[in-house]
Amino acid sequence: MNTPSSAANHVRIVEVGARDGLQNEKTLLPADVKIALIDRLSSTGLTTIEATSFVSPKWVPQLADAAEVFAGIRKVPGVSYPVLVPNLQGYERARAVGATEVAVFSAASEAFNRKNINASIDESIERFLPVLERASADGVKVRGYVSTVLGCPYQGDVPVADVVRVAQRLHAAGCYEISLGDTIGVGTPAKARAMLRAVAAEVPMGALAVHFHDTYGQALANILACLEEGVRVVDSAVSGTGGCPYAKGATGNVASEDVVYMLHGMGMHTGVDLDLLVATGAWLAAQLHKETASRVTRARTAA
Amino acid sequence: MNTPSSAANHVRIVEVGARDGLQNEKTLLPADVKIALIDRLSSTGLTTIEATSFVSPKWVPQLADAAEVFAGIRKVPGVSYPVLVPNLQGYERARAVGATEVAVFSAASEAFNRKNINASIDESIERFLPVLERASADGVKVRGYVSTVLGCPYQGDVPVADVVRVAQRLHAAGCYEISLGDTIGVGTPAKARAMLRAVAAEVPMGALAVHFHDTYGQALANILACLEEGVRVVDSAVSGTGGCPYAKGATGNVASEDVVYMLHGMGMHTGVDLDLLVATGAWLAAQLHKETASRVTRARTAA
């Protein structure tokens, strides 16, 4: 962490609250509130803000308004607004409203993939190949999510070799960045570090991101371990929105405010204005009628 | 973390919930519930359980029943039950009910010490010298707390040199262990690491403990950084009880359950049965009529 180079001290935050967060919230927010959320996030200095998901509304009713939300947000120059797409149809819906970055996803756990999208890992990657080909032709960037990298609600342990294999395939297929997600938040720092190290042996560290849920309170410690390994892209969600359908009542994504507080306290740069982020998190928690999961926002707004 | 030696992989948890936790809770628990709490903790495998405080009830009304609680708890062989004492009078009250380990405290911040106990750091250490002398004659172990090691609600930054000086003096005066406390929970991993490293240059690492509050959500990450520096004693409170009188609404001590989960996940040993600890934390939260602050307990009891 004591590197003088500014690149080594810069961490890019990928804000996933409007997608990964809200898709797991019980409270359904109207499209105009989602648009206001993303517009607020755009003013904080964040450069990547996942906006929504073009997955079937049957699966994710919370984001059935994807086209309306994406069309309605202010596109700030220099900020990317990726959207999740499950297949070519979703890709086309996203493109129709002007998306210039998309994200595809696969679990590292065979059991999870089967339960979640009724396909093997290989089948799910096959499905994304047309998306990646089309995106390449269209000049659209594609981010890849690998989920269940440190545990699966169905099969338990997930072999690191499986994580490496899926990450490698998504990267080889054209994803510019692979986000490694501990979907159920069970990981601990030594395991997170070992997993990241194994993946980084096959995919350049510069093309990797980490994505932790705070189900067991381990997210910041895991992020710290991964920063020490060299990762410089971190997914998080303002106000720690979300939750985990596999552990009811559990905490969701790690809160962006808490990640940014830690990074700035360590002398790392994010370009994010923490005060604006805290204000946005407090505002979002009020919209959701729940207490914020961000300890920083709680401490800052409690006084 | 990859050391084969069992000593290097063993972390002693100092459970402070019954004292540091409860003294900052709004809900006043009756003595018999406190006794039940400590008795439950005694069965989890913990070897150090801070039981109460013999500070004046005027200052800490929550623990006015110190003598009754201490006399009432089951003393399990092999488990130590330190109690906080502010001066020789408190020491004598503690000894009268059979305490065999006590703890003294000083802030590293001059401003905090003045506001908190109306004495300079030097004066407060002077006050403890008779306690340390008497304890030495009585064969009573003394633990020393240094508070505000990473920030002070009154003076803001606390120079690391001041932390080192206070820790050194308490150690030289006879404290067998010095617990370094981030009282207001503002610290981040790089600062925690630098502070610990500076203290460890003057006091043996084996005589140091770390004590983090989770006000800004940084506690586990800070603990991880300090484990990497070599510390092997961690203070924590079951269910994350407590709070911070200087940041209302803020979170209290780091939850023991979350610390133990992290340590076990990293292959470290604590001797603590996590299931029993989670059950105790859930029980305590019910007694306090509040949601547990432990993410592990929330995830484990939510399903």
Side-chain angles (χ1 to χ4, degrees):
Chain A
M1 299 330 230
N2 293 318
T3 46
S5 142
S6 71
N9 278 330
H10 186 269
V11 173
R12 180 161 60 90
I13 302 290
V14 175
E15 169 60 44
V16 299
R19 198 278 303 171
D20 196 25
L22 295 187
Q23 83 172 38
N24 290 306
E25 288 289 342
K26 273 175 220 153
T27 304
L28 257 167
L29 295 182
D32 63 326
V33 174
K34 293 177 186 168
I35 292 168
L37 167 64
I38 296 168
D39 287 349
R40 278 171 177 261
L41 290 169
S42 288
S43 70
T44 62
L46 285 160
T47 55
T48 311
I49 303 170
E50 202 174 43
T52 185
S53 166
F54 287 86
V55 165
S56 165
K58 269 191 299 182
W59 296 351
V60 185
Q62 289 92 334
L63 302 181
D65 53 9
E68 182 184 356
V69 168
F70 195 88
I73 57 174
R74 191 164 43 89
K75 314 294 189 306
V76 173
V79 180
S80 191
Y81 300 91
V83 298
L84 205 68
V85 299
N87 50 34
L88 205 50
Q89 194 191 354
Y91 175 83
E92 280 161 0
R93 285 172 58 217
R95 287 291 289 161
V97 287
T100 56
E101 179 172 344
V102 300
V104 298
F105 54 94
S106 174
S109 148
E110 200 66 65
F112 190 89
N113 235 49
R114 289 215 171 271
K115 286 254 185 186
N116 198 37
I117 60 170
N118 196 26
S120 72
I121 291 174
D122 285 340
E123 284 163 355
S124 79
I125 292 176
E126 290 298 320
R127 280 187 207 169
F128 291 130
L129 294 182
V131 173
L132 282 150
E133 277 168 35
R134 187 77 68 85
S136 172
D138 294 347
V140 166
K141 288 170 78 179
V142 184
R143 196 167 195 255
Y145 281 106
V146 184
S147 65
T148 64
V149 299
L150 293 171
C152 167
Y154 308 117
Q155 77 181 47
D157 285 341
V158 175
V160 170
D162 292 355
V163 180
V164 173
R165 187 173 64 89
V166 176
Q168 216 172 359
R169 288 199 60 184
L170 288 176
H171 187 250
C175 291
Y176 78 99
E177 186 167 276
I178 311 295
S179 170
L180 303 165
D182 181 12
T183 312
I184 55 172
V186 295
T188 40
K191 286 175 191 162
R193 185 193 296 277
M195 180 276 298
L196 177 62
R197 195 178 288 180
V199 176
E202 305 295 335
V203 179
M205 187 65 88
L208 297 177
V210 291
H211 180 114
F212 290 106
H213 286 229
D214 209 26
T215 319
Y216 287 77
Q218 310 293 307
L220 276 192
N222 291 342
I223 290 170
L224 176 64
C226 292
L227 289 168
E228 289 173 354
E229 281 300 307
V231 86
R232 288 295 177 270
V233 184
V234 177
D235 295 4
S236 61
V238 68
S239 196
T241 49
C244 182
Y246 315 99
K248 299 208 188 309
T251 322
N253 288 273
V254 65
S256 303
E257 302 95 304
D258 299 6
V259 174
V260 169
Y261 181 91
M262 180 175 84
L263 291 169
H264 290 186
M266 298 175 74
M268 314 282 282
H269 306 291
T270 63
V272 177
D273 182 319
L274 181 56
D275 292 339
L276 290 176
L277 196 62
V278 164
T280 302
W283 173 85
L284 177 59
Q287 301 299 317
L288 290 167
H289 308 293
K290 65 187 276 196
E291 196 188 18
T292 178
S294 162
R295 310 272 169 132
V296 169
T297 296
R298 224 180 278 174
R300 287 260 178 115
T301 56
Chain B
M1 297 333 233
N2 293 316
T3 46
S5 142
S6 72
N9 278 330
H10 186 269
V11 173
R12 181 161 60 89
I13 302 290
V14 174
E15 169 60 45
V16 300
R19 197 278 303 171
D20 195 25
L22 295 187
Q23 81 172 36
N24 289 308
E25 288 289 341
K26 273 175 220 153
T27 304
L28 258 167
L29 296 181
D32 64 325
V33 174
K34 293 177 186 167
I35 292 167
L37 168 64
I38 296 168
D39 287 350
R40 278 172 177 261
L41 290 169
S42 289
S43 70
T44 62
L46 285 160
T47 54
T48 312
I49 303 170
E50 201 174 43
T52 185
S53 167
F54 287 87
V55 166
S56 165
K58 267 191 303 183
W59 296 351
V60 185
Q62 289 91 337
L63 303 180
D65 53 8
E68 181 184 356
V69 169
F70 194 87
I73 59 174
R74 191 164 43 90
K75 314 293 189 308
V76 172
V79 180
S80 190
Y81 301 90
V83 297
L84 205 67
V85 300
N87 49 34
L88 205 50
Q89 194 190 354
Y91 175 84
E92 280 160 359
R93 286 171 59 216
R95 286 292 289 161
V97 287
T100 56
E101 178 173 344
V102 299
V104 298
F105 54 94
S106 174
S109 148
E110 201 65 65
F112 190 90
N113 234 49
R114 290 214 171 272
K115 286 254 187 186
N116 198 36
I117 61 169
N118 196 26
S120 71
I121 291 174
D122 285 341
E123 284 164 357
S124 80
I125 292 176
E126 289 299 319
R127 280 188 206 166
F128 291 130
L129 294 182
V131 173
L132 283 150
E133 276 169 33
R134 186 78 67 84
S136 171
D138 294 348
V140 166
K141 288 170 79 178
V142 185
R143 195 167 196 256
Y145 281 106
V146 183
S147 66
T148 63
V149 299
L150 293 172
C152 166
Y154 307 118
Q155 75 180 50
D157 284 344
V158 174
V160 170
D162 292 355
V163 180
V164 174
R165 188 173 63 89
V166 175
Q168 217 173 358
R169 289 199 60 184
L170 288 175
H171 187 249
C175 291
Y176 79 99
E177 186 167 277
I178 311 296
S179 171
L180 302 165
D182 181 12
T183 313
I184 56 171
V186 294
T188 40
K191 287 175 189 162
R193 183 193 297 274
M195 180 275 301
L196 177 62
R197 193 178 289 179
V199 176
E202 305 296 334
V203 178
M205 188 65 89
L208 296 177
V210 290
H211 179 113
F212 289 107
H213 286 230
D214 209 25
T215 320
Y216 287 77
Q218 310 293 308
L220 275 192
N222 291 341
I223 290 170
L224 176 63
C226 292
L227 289 168
E228 289 174 354
E229 282 298 308
V231 86
R232 288 296 178 269
V233 184
V234 177
D235 295 5
S236 61
V238 67
S239 197
T241 49
C244 182
Y246 314 99
K248 299 210 188 312
T251 322
N253 289 273
V254 65
S256 303
E257 302 95 305
D258 300 4
V259 175
V260 169
Y261 181 91
M262 180 175 83
L263 292 168
H264 291 186
M266 298 175 73
M268 314 281 283
H269 305 290
T270 63
V272 177
D273 182 318
L274 182 57
D275 292 338
L276 290 177
L277 197 61
V278 164
T280 302
W283 173 86
L284 177 59
Q287 301 298 317
L288 290 168
H289 309 293
K290 64 187 278 195
E291 195 187 18
T292 179
S294 162
R295 310 272 169 132
V296 169
T297 296
R298 224 180 279 175
R300 288 260 179 115
T301 56

